[in-house]
Amino acid sequence: MTEDFRIEHDSMGEMRVPATALWGAQTQRSYENFRIGTETQPEGIIRAFALLKKAAAQANAELGSLDAATAALIADACDEVYAGAWDAEFPLKVWQTGSGTQSNMNVNEVVATRANQLAAERGVTLPKPIHPNDSVNCSQSSNDTFPTAMHVAAVVAVHDQLLPAARQLVATLQRLERENEGVVKSGRTHLQDAVPISFSQEISGWRGLVETGIEMVEASLPPLCRLALGGTAVGTGLNAPEGFDTLVASKLADLTGLPFVTDPNKFHALTSKDALVFGHGAVKALAANMMKIANDVRWLASGPRLGLGEIRIPENEPGSSIMPGKVNPTQCEAVTMVAVQVMGNDAAIGFAASQGNFELNVFMPVIAYNYLQSVRLLADAIRSFDEHCACGIVADRDRMRHNLHDSLMLVTCLNPYIGYENAAKVAHKAYEEGTSLREACVGLGFLTPERFDEVFKPEEMV
């Protein structure tokens, strides 16, 4: 009978590893020792590792630390990992060593094994077999590769996922502004009637919430573009050739098209996670703004008969298993739940980042997991909200007009003519007696009917 495992070894001895697995002994040890939860290292981290291992191999070849053939094979294996060809080979949990050492070694082992396979397939003769530590991890340490992978993954996720989704929503809101020019409705403050506002002005507020969020997220990227790679174990750069840090950062910039540079202070880069705290704070700010937009939309769409009902939103699915015909603002609810998750993640990231001891922070996997989850969820939620809700918002102009003219706060336009206190008397009289502002004002003798009609123009109050 064919054995379903093979024997691999590391510095601690031998391990049984699944026969077809590309990983080695160190990955297997972690797989067996950390059976905690179901959360595995995020795809973004694995992709970022593939990029940095490729860049490191190329830099090592240029600096004379690796032979060209070995570096080329490592780069090709990294390309396969980056393309997702070997996703099943990265089974390790988030809840492992806080430095991410086992995940760094998981990548090293998979890339080394695959690179050796490529060498055999191509008939390439190497000076010696490609080794996970000596070759793939050459000039590196888990302590500088994992924080580098975190930064690369964070910047790529924001650039490729979050910002495009947010900009798409901005474009939708700009269209809605144009379509609703001149539509005047009642404003609201403290959930109470307020003076008029145009619907396009209200939408412009939503647009500003998204645009400001974009600005904040963009402002958080430069610190995240500074990389720890080259600091090795404690920031001194031990066992890395001179110039490795700047060269590998330059290569990562070329591979991604993003402005990565080496962090000038590796001691800070290894122990501090402030760039991720700052970056996630901007993500949280956008999430908070999306919470506000989603709440506004579902309030304005409430009803259909007993709520505000000033806008109609797309009806996407039945809203109740017992009440026929009920439709709910489900996209808004999804956005608000994602916003809550992002806020919770922000607390976890802040606590984890505060726990750096001496030369290293050992809460990195949980920081990476939460940051990337927030970016992915928020990007998905914004895109879904845009495509299934915002793009189909339609103003109920008749309802807006009715609510506008029924608002007691229109009395504010009388302040210049009868004064604040008299205007307040008019509002109270109209409310208590269930009459119009016109009847109350004329009844109190503050203005004649003709003068009231001359100065009372709600549509001009915006």
Side-chain angles (χ1 to χ4, degrees):
M1 180 177 177
T2 303
E3 298 285 2
D4 60 357
F5 64 89
R6 68 181 192 274
I7 301 298
E8 291 281 349
H9 76 278
D10 58 14
S11 60
M12 294 186 70
E14 294 184 342
M15 288 291 295
R16 286 160 49 116
V17 175
T20 59
L22 296 183
W23 69 72
Q26 292 198 51
T27 301
Q28 189 65 31
R29 290 185 193 280
S30 180
Y31 184 74
E32 294 180 9
N33 290 338
F34 296 97
R35 299 182 186 275
I36 304 172
T38 60
E39 298 84 2
T40 55
Q41 286 294 341
E43 177 185 290
I45 289 293
I46 303 305
R47 300 287 186 270
F49 260 115
L51 289 171
L52 77 86
K53 295 295 177 181
K54 178 178 180 177
Q58 293 173 338
N60 277 318
E62 289 187 27
L63 295 170
S65 298
L66 280 180
D67 64 275
T70 294
L73 288 164
I74 290 173
D76 288 347
C78 288
D79 286 342
E80 292 183 355
V81 171
Y82 183 80
W86 306 108
D87 284 353
E89 299 294 330
F90 302 98
L92 300 188
K93 299 299 189 346
V94 170
W95 321 107
Q96 54 167 281
T97 178
S99 63
T101 297
Q102 281 91 38
S103 284
N104 178 44
M105 286 308 305
N106 186 187
V107 176
N108 290 335
E109 290 177 340
V110 170
V111 170
T113 301
R114 183 57 188 148
N116 283 320
Q117 289 177 349
L118 291 173
E121 292 168 8
R122 298 171 183 177
V124 177
T125 301
L126 297 171
K128 58 182 178 180
I130 296 173
H131 190 275
N133 296 83
D134 297 336
S135 308
V136 185
N137 202 60
C138 181
S139 308
Q140 304 153 62
S141 161
S142 297
N143 295 355
D144 65 349
T145 57
F146 202 92
T148 297
M150 292 168 70
H151 279 213
V152 171
V155 175
V156 169
V158 166
H159 183 270
D160 291 355
Q161 300 173 38
L162 185 56
L163 292 178
R167 289 172 183 140
Q168 177 181 313
L169 179 56
V170 168
T172 295
L173 295 172
Q174 289 171 331
R175 173 179 61 79
L176 291 172
E177 282 181 71
R178 294 191 298 269
E179 292 174 355
N180 289 280
E181 281 288 343
V183 178
V184 180
K185 62 185 290 292
S186 179
R188 294 179 178 86
T189 58
H190 301 271
L191 294 181
Q192 304 294 306
D193 303 344
V195 296
I197 187 174
S198 73
F199 189 36
S200 62
Q201 290 172 329
E202 191 165 44
I203 296 169
S204 77
W206 299 341
R207 172 175 54 80
L209 289 168
V210 183
E211 289 176 333
T212 299
I214 290 172
E215 291 174 7
M216 291 178 178
V217 170
E218 289 177 332
S220 75
L221 293 181
L224 286 169
C225 285
R226 295 197 287 268
L227 305 179
L229 204 59
T232 64
V234 294
T236 60
L238 180 69
N239 290 347
E242 185 177 354
F244 176 77
D245 56 352
T246 55
L247 182 57
V248 76
S250 175
K251 289 187 176 298
L252 277 168
D254 291 340
L255 288 171
T256 61
L258 296 167
F260 291 114
V261 295
T262 193
D263 194 311
N265 188 330
K266 303 299 188 300
F267 307 102
H268 165 263
L270 266 60
T271 195
S272 174
K273 298 294 157 269
D274 50 10
L276 287 154
V277 174
F278 181 59
H280 194 273
V283 174
K284 181 181 71 170
L286 178 56
N289 285 354
M290 286 303 304
M291 171 84 85
K292 185 262 193 280
I293 293 170
N295 278 332
D296 281 0
V297 169
R298 62 175 170 179
W299 271 108
L300 290 173
S302 62
R305 291 189 173 179
L306 305 181
L308 296 179
E310 291 189 346
I311 64 173
R312 294 189 298 276
I313 58 177
E315 299 181 351
N316 298 318
E317 60 273 320
S320 173
S321 60
I322 189 174
M323 293 175 279
K326 195 172 192 300
V327 179
N328 297 328
T330 51
Q331 290 293 321
C332 298
E333 291 164 5
V335 168
T336 56
M337 285 192 290
V338 165
V340 167
Q341 183 65 50
V342 171
M343 292 172 190
N345 288 350
D346 192 71
I349 289 171
F351 282 124
S354 72
Q355 297 302 304
N357 301 124
F358 302 115
E359 278 66 58
L360 188 67
N361 177 288
V362 290
F363 288 72
M364 289 191 286
V366 71
I367 293 173
Y369 178 81
N370 281 282
Y371 186 102
L372 294 176
Q373 183 193 60
S374 290
V375 171
R376 184 185 71 251
L377 287 178
L378 189 56
D380 288 350
I382 291 173
R383 187 174 292 106
S384 182
F385 176 76
D386 176 70
E387 294 174 356
H388 299 291
C389 182
C391 68
I393 290 175
V394 176
D396 187 328
R397 300 189 181 196
D398 291 337
R399 186 66 170 265
M400 287 182 176
R401 187 178 303 107
H402 173 270
N403 288 346
L404 172 66
H405 286 272
D406 203 37
S407 171
L408 295 175
M409 289 306 99
L410 296 180
V411 75
T412 305
C413 71
L414 301 180
N415 286 359
Y417 306 100
I418 64 175
Y420 180 94
E421 292 191 9
N422 285 339
K425 292 176 183 178
V426 170
H428 283 294
K429 180 178 176 64
Y431 177 68
E432 291 162 4
E433 298 179 2
T435 62
S436 67
L437 291 173
R438 186 177 189 275
E439 291 173 298
C441 185
V442 172
L444 288 169
F446 295 144
L447 292 174
T448 65
E450 294 77 17
R451 182 58 174 161
F452 182 92
D453 293 340
E454 182 181 331
V455 302
F456 189 79
K457 299 184 183 300
E459 283 76 13
E460 297 180 4
M461 294 176 67
V462 299

